[in-house]
Amino acid sequence: MAEDKGIIAELFWKINEPKDKNNMDDLEKKHTPVLEFPAKVKKGEAFELGVKVGSMPHPMQNAHFIQFVDLFVDGLYFTRVNFTPVVTEPKAKISVILSAGKEISAVIRCNLHGLWKSSYPIRVE
Ligand SMILES: [Fe+2]
């Protein structure tokens, strides 16, 4: 394994998800991606997908920051947003066009605390 530079290995080398979405601890609140979009979207029409990390602000300093968020529909990757410490916040709005899909997922990576995932149901009609 590469030299540890503050990485929390037990979190970094797996995909983390909150144990209980309705009762998250501060670590989970700071890392779990939050997605906002209409509950029902029209097939083939653009809609706005908002993503932020997380429900509690996460540091964006050089030593500790959110590197990116990857987005998936039904487990298939469709885009990535990269973030830069100090000059960006870990949030974005993206115009998305789907022809099908039942679930949108996001996976973020913190440079110290690793990958964190959340999934949301969506209706594409
Ligand atoms: Fe972190």
Side-chain angles (χ1 to χ4, degrees):
M1 193 179 294
E3 182 185 345
D4 184 331
K5 297 196 186 280
I7 286 172
I8 313 301
E10 68 189 61
L11 297 173
F12 200 82
W13 301 110
K14 65 181 178 116
I15 296 177
N16 299 283
E17 292 185 70
K19 292 169 203 75
D20 178 356
K21 283 184 182 179
N22 298 314
N23 188 23
M24 290 194 266
D25 63 24
D26 286 357
L27 184 76
E28 292 169 334
K29 287 178 185 171
K30 287 180 183 176
H31 293 91
T32 302
V34 176
L35 301 180
E36 292 179 348
F37 53 90
K40 187 167 67 174
V41 300
K42 289 193 176 172
K43 184 177 180 177
E45 285 190 16
F47 67 94
E48 188 174 89
L49 173 64
V51 56
K52 69 175 183 175
V53 187
S55 59
M56 178 181 282
H58 185 282
M60 285 300 280
Q61 301 305 314
N62 288 316
H64 184 198
F65 69 102
I66 302 299
Q67 298 173 304
F68 61 79
V69 57
D70 283 346
L71 294 161
F72 304 81
V73 62
D74 293 348
L76 297 173
Y77 168 85
F78 67 90
T79 199
R80 168 175 284 187
V81 180
N82 289 297
F83 301 111
T84 302
V86 181
V87 298
T88 63
E89 290 186 301
K91 58 175 76 169
K93 288 186 177 176
I94 306 162
S95 186
V96 178
I97 302 166
L98 297 177
S99 57
K102 291 186 167 68
E103 182 184 76
I104 290 191
S105 303
V107 177
I108 68 94
R109 189 167 73 193
C110 165
N111 68 319
L112 298 184
H113 300 109
L115 299 166
W116 290 76
K117 180 181 180 182
S118 62
S119 299
Y120 295 75
I122 188 169
R123 285 174 61 192
V124 181
E125 297 177 346

